[in-house]
């Protein structure tokens, strides 16, 4: 029987992970008692005593003087019991006109809003790093489709595609914050309270845009966490795609970049190898964040209104996901800020890939040939070049005219890689 009670207690207890909500719990409680005093439910003397007690607990936690103990059920019971120990019976008035349901709801909204803003700050940092990397390395490189060399682009064009992706991620999180910015305090268990409270006070104190419209929704809504987890998953997908390219580019087969020693490691047996561990770990951790999203979606899919105990399963997936995203953003920022770009190797890959073939076909079309015929002519020229180990731009005008009389001296300027790139950039802008 004793073992059964212990197992049950371990299943119930969440302090081991929800202790990270201590700051939000104190802030929510302070806002709540300020509202109670303003509505004459508590006296201002009681307010002062409770606020001083809560601030002393917060200070002791942050200074390492007060440790979290496993014999408390959760952060909320920990705080209330600690408060009562410090200020006596008046501490028990903290929970007047409040339920654990709206208390945990406000804690999670505050915490997730703060952490989403931290992710946005880190996105802002990495966006600046990407922009600098692109501006410093406007070298020509192959652009790919199907992982086959397709057309010449600049490294700046390529890396700035990730700038666009992560910029959208930033907007997504900002939108999610705007949608979730509602105060659930005052919902109580699910139907409000008989006390004459003022939800506008706590809304203002905690910096929310407005109170929630529906009490039952307010205590049982976890859409905001799902939306943030979805945003985090898309961020990780973008970081994973970039990681994959860095992994490929750092191989000897590509040899476009060199990842610094800080973000790569040597092989335990093969001294010539440098393994792109940081990029591989980011790529691997993407699946972990996806799992956090699916976990919470699965938890929420069959829950009737209003609050159910299942919903305490929202915390661990969210905590894990936001921690992972922040770590990966910081590591990726460090990795790309120390990246060495091998410009000559990129340009050589362009030369070897006949990446001006499309422009050569366009030249013939501009001079009156049907595109399908031009495509066939240039295909024959590429075969000839491969057999003779030449690039299209290295062929003499006589050689080119053997394939079509439409070729003239201006073909060389038209298929010049830099000119091709410039024309593309103008259209892109």
């Amino acid at each position: 029987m004793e073992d059964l009670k212990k197992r049950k207690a371990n299943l119930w207890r969440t302090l081991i992970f929800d202790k990270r909500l201590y700051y939000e719990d104190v802030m929510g409680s302070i806002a709540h008692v300020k509202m109670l005093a303003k509505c004459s439910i508590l006296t201002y003397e009681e307010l002062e005593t409770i606020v001083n007690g809560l601030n002393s607990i917060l200070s002791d936690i942050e200074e390492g003087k007060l440790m979290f103990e496993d014999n408390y059920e959760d952060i909320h019971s920990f705080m209330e019991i600690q408060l009562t120990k410090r200020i006596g019976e008046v501490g028990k008035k903290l929970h007047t006109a409040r339920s654990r349901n709206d208390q945990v709801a406000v804690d999670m909204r505050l915490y997730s809003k703060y952490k989403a803003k931290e992710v946005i700050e880190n996105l802002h940092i990495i966006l600046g790093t990407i922009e600098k990397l692109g501006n410093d390395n406007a070298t020509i490189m192959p652009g790919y489709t199907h992982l086959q060399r397709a057309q010449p682009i600049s490294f700046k064009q390529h890396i700035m595609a990730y700038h666009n992706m992560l910029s959208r991620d930033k907007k997504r999180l900002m939108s999610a914050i705007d949608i979730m910015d509602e105060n659930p305090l005052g919902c109580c268990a699910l139907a409000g309270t008989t006390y004459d409270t003022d939800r506008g006070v706590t809304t203002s104190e905690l910096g929310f845009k407005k109170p929630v419209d529906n009490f039952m929704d307010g205590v049982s809504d976890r859409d905001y966490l799902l939306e943030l987890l979805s945003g985090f998953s898309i961020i990780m997908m973008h970081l994973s795609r970039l990681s994959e390219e860095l992994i490929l580019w750092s191989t000897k087969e590509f040899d476009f970049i060199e990842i610094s020693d800080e973000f790569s490691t040597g092989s335990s047996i093969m001294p010539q190898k440098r393994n792109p561990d940081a990029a591989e770990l980011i790529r691997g951790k993407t699946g972990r964040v996806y799992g956090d999203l699916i976990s919470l979606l699965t938890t929420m899919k069959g829950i009737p209104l209003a609050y159910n105990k299942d919903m305490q399963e929202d915390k661990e997936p969210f905590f894990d996901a936001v921690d992972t995203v922040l770590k990966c953003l910081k590591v990726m920022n460090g990795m790309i800020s120390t990246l060495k770009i091998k410009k000559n190797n990129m340009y050589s890959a362009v030369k070897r890939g006949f990446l001006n073939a499309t422009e050569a076909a366009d030249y013939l079309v501009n001079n009156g040939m049907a595109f399908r015929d031009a495509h066939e002519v240039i295909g024959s020229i590429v075969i000839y070049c491969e057999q003779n180990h030449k690039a299209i731009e290295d062929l003499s005008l006589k050689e080119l005219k053997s394939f079509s009389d439409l070729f003239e001296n201006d073909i060389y300027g038209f298929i010049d890689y830099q000119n091709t790139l410039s024309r593309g950039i103008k259209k892109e802008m």
Side-chain angles (χ1 to χ4, degrees):
M1 181 63 71
E2 191 63 34
D3 286 345
L4 182 60
K5 285 182 179 178
K6 189 174 181 180
R7 285 197 293 270
K8 179 181 174 183
N10 288 337
L11 185 65
W12 256 247
R13 286 177 184 153
T14 60
L15 183 62
I16 191 170
F17 54 82
D18 71 13
K19 60 188 177 184
R20 69 164 72 191
L21 298 175
Y22 72 88
Y23 178 81
E24 289 73 24
D25 201 69
V26 169
M27 293 300 105
S29 292
I30 289 175
H32 179 65
V33 293
K34 283 183 176 180
M35 180 274 295
L36 292 177
K38 190 167 185 178
C39 294
S40 301
I41 299 168
L42 292 182
T43 67
Y44 278 94
E45 289 76 17
E46 289 171 329
L47 166 65
E48 185 177 2
T49 302
I50 292 172
V51 170
N52 288 341
L54 288 168
N55 280 328
S56 72
I57 293 172
L58 179 61
S59 177
D60 285 352
I61 290 172
E62 295 189 333
E63 291 175 14
K65 296 176 183 177
L66 177 61
M67 308 304 292
F68 296 105
E69 300 170 18
D70 291 340
N71 55 331
Y72 291 91
E73 181 182 341
D74 55 27
I75 187 61
H76 320 297
S77 59
F78 174 85
M79 287 292 184
E80 191 170 342
I81 292 169
Q82 288 295 326
L83 180 66
T84 304
K85 284 181 180 179
R86 293 185 183 214
I87 66 173
E89 290 297 302
V90 71
K92 295 179 181 179
K93 294 189 176 184
L94 171 64
H95 211 53
T96 306
R98 185 175 70 170
S99 164
R100 188 74 58 88
N101 295 356
D102 62 343
Q103 184 179 4
V104 69
V106 79
D107 286 4
M108 277 304 289
R109 279 192 191 248
L110 287 171
Y111 181 84
S112 58
K113 186 164 74 164
Y114 296 153
K115 297 305 283 187
K117 287 180 177 179
E118 188 178 347
V119 174
I120 288 170
E121 288 169 8
N122 278 271
L123 283 168
H124 182 73
I125 292 168
I126 198 171
L127 286 169
T129 302
I130 290 172
E131 191 167 6
K132 183 178 186 306
L133 182 65
N135 288 334
D136 291 347
N137 297 279
T139 186
I140 294 176
M141 68 173 291
Y144 293 82
T145 62
H146 308 279
L147 208 54
Q148 304 293 320
R149 293 173 193 159
Q151 288 182 280
I153 60 169
S154 72
F155 176 78
K156 180 179 179 179
Q157 280 179 293
H158 195 121
I159 200 67
M160 285 300 287
Y162 289 100
H163 189 282
N164 281 28
M165 295 178 204
L166 295 172
S167 294
R168 290 194 300 273
D169 293 331
K170 186 176 172 182
K171 291 177 184 177
R172 259 186 286 272
L173 294 187
M174 291 169 69
S175 174
I177 291 171
D178 183 61
I179 293 170
M180 69 174 282
D181 201 15
E182 299 181 352
N183 176 24
L185 266 184
C187 297
C188 292
L190 78 162
T193 177
T194 56
Y195 288 95
D196 187 15
T197 57
D198 184 347
R199 292 194 293 149
V201 174
T202 54
T203 298
S204 176
E205 284 286 334
L206 295 172
F208 286 110
K209 188 168 57 178
K210 63 185 286 290
V212 297
D213 294 324
N214 182 283
F215 291 154
M216 295 180 73
D217 182 49
V219 296
S220 63
D221 167 40
R222 295 298 183 269
D223 292 1
Y224 62 96
L225 294 179
L226 291 167
E227 188 167 11
L228 290 174
L229 285 170
S230 177
F232 294 163
S233 296
I234 297 172
I235 290 170
M236 290 302 298
M237 179 266 289
H238 290 150
L239 294 182
S240 184
R241 292 183 71 181
L242 178 53
S243 294
E244 175 69 9
E245 300 216 89
L246 296 179
I247 292 164
L248 287 171
W249 291 347
S250 67
T251 63
K252 291 301 177 186
E253 284 71 20
F254 280 80
D255 203 22
F256 287 173
I257 62 167
E258 183 179 307
I259 297 173
S260 72
D261 290 348
E262 186 180 356
F263 300 98
S264 60
T265 59
S267 166
S268 62
I269 190 173
M270 294 165 281
Q272 82 281 8
K273 287 174 80 255
R274 296 298 300 173
N275 299 324
D277 286 358
E280 289 175 350
L281 284 167
I282 291 171
R283 186 177 60 181
K285 287 182 183 296
T286 299
R288 178 177 182 145
V289 176
Y290 290 178
D292 292 327
L293 171 61
I294 297 302
S295 172
L296 186 53
L297 280 168
T298 306
T299 296
M300 295 300 297
K301 74 176 181 63
I303 299 179
L305 290 174
Y307 183 82
N308 294 265
K309 199 68 172 174
D310 319 42
M311 292 169 66
Q312 75 177 29
E313 292 297 308
D314 63 346
K315 295 171 191 62
E316 287 178 285
F318 183 80
F319 295 160
D320 179 70
V322 74
D323 289 349
T324 302
V325 169
L326 285 168
K327 286 176 190 173
C328 290
L329 282 170
K330 288 169 183 175
V331 169
M332 179 61 80
N333 186 67
M335 184 161 48
I336 61 176
S337 68
T338 56
L339 210 60
K340 179 183 176 184
I341 309 301
K342 298 184 177 180
K343 299 179 180 181
N344 291 337
N345 291 357
M346 286 184 173
Y347 185 72
S348 296
V350 172
K351 291 277 288 182
R352 293 194 305 270
F354 306 107
L355 299 192
N356 51 7
T358 301
E359 282 65 35
D362 289 343
Y363 174 88
L364 293 175
V365 171
N366 290 342
N367 284 279
M369 186 179 287
F371 178 77
R372 286 298 172 199
D373 294 335
H375 187 280
E376 186 176 341
V377 168
I378 301 304
S380 299
I381 290 175
V382 169
I383 293 171
Y384 174 83
C385 288
E386 288 175 333
Q387 291 171 343
N388 291 274
H389 308 290
K390 291 183 175 183
I392 297 175
E393 65 272 19
D394 295 333
L395 298 180
S396 67
L397 185 59
K398 182 179 178 181
E399 286 174 300
L400 289 170
K401 279 186 172 292
S402 69
F403 294 93
S404 172
D405 287 334
L406 293 177
F407 285 115
E408 299 294 342
N409 275 320
D410 60 348
I411 179 61
Y412 298 107
F414 193 85
I415 64 173
D416 177 80
Y417 291 114
Q418 193 60 58
N419 291 341
T420 297
L421 196 61
S422 297
R423 286 195 297 270
I425 289 172
K426 284 180 183 177
K427 290 175 184 175
E428 193 173 66
M429 293 172 66

